[in-house]
Amino acid sequence: MKHLASKIQPPLAIGVDVGGTKVAAGFVDSQGRISGRVRFPTDKSSPKATLDCIAHAVEAVIDRHLASREEIQGVGLGVPGLVDPERGIGIAAVNIGWENVPVKTEMEIRLGLPCFVENDVKAAALGEARYGAGRGRQNLIYLSIGTGIAAGILIGGKIYHGPHGMAGEIGHAVVDPKGPQCKCGARGCLEAIASGPAIAVRAKEKLLAEQGMGGMVLPTLTHPVLYREGNLSAETVFKAAYDKDELAIETLAEVSEYLAFAIQFLALAYDPETIILSGGVAQGGDLLLDLIRSPLTRQADDSWVLGKVYHPEFVQLSALGKDIAVLGAAALVQIYS
Amino acid sequence: MKHLASKIQPPLAIGVDVGGTKVAAGFVDSQGRISGRVRFPTDKSSPKATLDCIAHAVEAVIDRHLASREEIQGVGLGVPGLVDPERGIGIAAVNIGWENVPVKTEMEIRLGLPCFVENDVKAAALGEARYGAGRGRQNLIYLSIGTGIAAGILIGGKIYHGPHGMAGEIGHAVVDPKGPQCKCGARGCLEAIASGPAIAVRAKEKLLAEQGMGGMVLPTLTHPVLYREGNLSAETVFKAAYDKDELAIETLAEVSEYLAFAIQFLALAYDPETIILSGGVAQGGDLLLDLIRSPLTRQADDSWVLGKVYHPEFVQLSALGKDIAVLGAAALVQIYS
């Protein structure tokens, strides 16, 4: 308890980030301080195995820190896919193979602690408003840009779900009808253009085009970083762009135009106080932020309508880095218990 | 009272539609039955004159029907532009020259009745949910497509404003960066492409192009209706399209693609139960509805994500025609008093 007491103060929530590859968890106090992070590979062999794996992670957090159960308010679980937070059911999550899994009930049986379940992106929006770049904001949009793209929407301090829980699924808005095939089935969805994997594909296609469509990417003096890294990823493209590689910058500028396009739409549809970028692609940092802000600032300068909503800090980067998922999950406990 | 009693039942609300050219008003009962419609040209010589004109319209409704003041719950005012409904202030409305006009206070002094003020499109969303195509819906979007384009958004049965009252201003989302100049200052806003005047301009440009850019539109056998009508308007274009004029159909199909594009975005952003089309352009009726539904149905068939939100009746036409403005304004009284 010594170590714990010096860092975080009860009441404590346990935030659990249930992902397709790992389950991460940790204690979070009311100030958003984290302690006792654990991380296990996700056992996806069955829904039961995944639930056991989550329970194991939670018990590991508790064991490591010897916190008494009385100090623990509850457990918040941010899970992928479609969630019914009221009934605590994981309705559909392709990447962990869940279909109508009664997460809340099953976890409460396993842990003997109150559990709260929410879609991970929606929970993260709450975490960002409570501890991050949106601190003190009641109306914000948290835009997660990683392998997928989705928005978590906060209205009046509360997560907005929509009647089917689909509010914020703007990763599947078609932004270029002639664009690449998306795994949802449509063509030219924002996610098929601006997700991490899509950025890598776009950069690679540009490289191939520059090599004369030969099908093989050969090193040139102009794109040293892109080649040095071997397999292209969004991370590589950003690294090259920071090194002033023109092809990488061009790739990211194009993608950012689409992101800015979606953001202006969200801005005018929801009139939020701020839109916070997170996820793997948002690790692109200030370069991404500048590329997205630039067309938006131009548009807000032109249009008095967008100008009423937009301001220099309107689009921000998440302030919470990789902790956002655990913090968001913990925020569920702090809000709902 | 005889005539009144046979048609509508107290308690009665008076709904007032304050427009740039006319002030319309009428009694509305809790079943959405209207009686005693009056209509006056809007006196825009000063804000005071406009308020007097509104008071005059309300008194005319009361005088015509000899309703006793006890039967009148209150007066709802749907006004253009930016409104602060809590304080009852018309913050900015270009077309009637209002800037920070204390409408509620001024009208309550003039009328001695409780008054409720709201943006006209937002009030109409409420009216549609209470009496129209959205009856019984708690989450809907009312999309007004006329001289301007804006959405009124209902969440959990309540009008959603956003922190600056700008929620739903998607008429000024840029949907084609190379598109026509919009009066908001930007280029290619949805309103600059799909509003009534924009439809007329697009049809005219197509005609001119077909005439070889001669600058003068000459009658041809292929577009008899378009020419017969003289000055082109959205109404003329729809009339020609119903007469199977190809150029008119092409014009409307193009415009409808943009509207469908905005609608898929709203669908994925808000996950509403239904989106209801109203305003002058929506008078285009089934032809417009089919042209908008067609690309959306295709996209929902392709994408399981949009498919979760979209259904055959997802996009509907307003069931209330020109009464919607008065009904929406009256609904304010019924909701808030």
Side-chain angles (χ1 to χ4, degrees), chain A residues 92-116:
Chain A
V94 179
N95 62 341
I96 52 173
W98 279 7
E99 209 171 310
N100 293 315
V101 175
V103 187
K104 180 183 170 69
T105 309
E106 287 293 325
M107 291 310 300
E108 288 182 343
I109 290 169
R110 280 169 175 77
L111 297 170
L113 288 164
C115 293
F116 304 88

Side-chain angles (χ1 to χ4, degrees), chain B residues 174-208:
Chain B
V174 171
V175 292
D176 176 8
K178 289 174 187 149
Q181 181 64 41
C182 180
K183 57 187 189 304
C184 81
R187 184 172 278 283
C189 294
L190 182 61
E191 184 168 305
I193 290 171
S195 66
I199 290 173
V201 167
R202 180 175 285 254
K204 194 168 184 182
E205 284 174 356
K206 280 186 188 291
L207 279 169
L208 287 170

Side-chain angles (χ1 to χ4, degrees), chain A residues 272-297:
Chain A
E273 294 166 82
T274 180
I275 293 184
I276 297 165
L277 312 181
S278 190
V281 172
Q283 303 288 320
D286 285 339
L287 195 145
L288 178 77
L289 192 62
D290 289 346
L291 286 171
I292 289 177
R293 279 181 174 171
S294 160
L296 286 169
T297 305

Side-chain angles (χ1 to χ4, degrees), chain A residues 160 163-164 166 174 264 269-271, chain B residues 163-164 166 174 264 269-271:
Chain A
Y160 174 64
H164 314 93
M166 299 295 284
V174 172
Q264 56 121 11
Y270 274 103
D271 181 16
Chain B
H164 314 93
M166 299 296 283
V174 171
Q264 56 120 11
Y270 274 103
D271 180 15

Side-chain angles (χ1 to χ4, degrees), chain B residues 146-278:
Chain B
T147 315
I149 295 182
I153 293 148
L154 235 60
I155 295 181
K158 289 184 184 153
I159 297 169
Y160 174 63
H161 295 90
H164 314 93
M166 299 296 283
E169 287 294 345
I170 54 111
H172 299 285
V174 171
V175 292
D176 176 8
K178 289 174 187 149
Q181 181 64 41
C182 180
K183 57 187 189 304
C184 81
R187 184 172 278 283
C189 294
L190 182 61
E191 184 168 305
I193 290 171
S195 66
I199 290 173
V201 167
R202 180 175 285 254
K204 194 168 184 182
E205 284 174 356
K206 280 186 188 291
L207 279 169
L208 287 170
E210 221 174 64
Q211 305 291 335
M213 311 299 287
M216 216 187 125
V217 181
L218 296 170
T220 71
L221 282 173
T222 47
H223 311 302
V225 181
L226 287 178
Y227 298 114
R228 205 185 307 133
E229 299 290 327
N231 283 330
L232 274 179
S233 68
E235 206 183 332
T236 328
V237 178
F238 274 107
K239 203 183 281 185
Y242 274 105
D243 281 352
K244 308 220 184 302
D245 181 281
E246 279 177 27
L247 187 145
I249 292 171
E250 187 184 289
T251 303
L252 293 171
E254 287 170 10
V255 165
S256 299
E257 287 271 357
Y258 285 103
L259 288 168
F261 177 82
I263 287 169
Q264 56 120 11
F265 219 103
L266 286 172
L268 293 163
Y270 274 103
D271 180 15
E273 293 165 83
T274 180
I275 293 184
I276 297 165
L277 311 181
S278 190

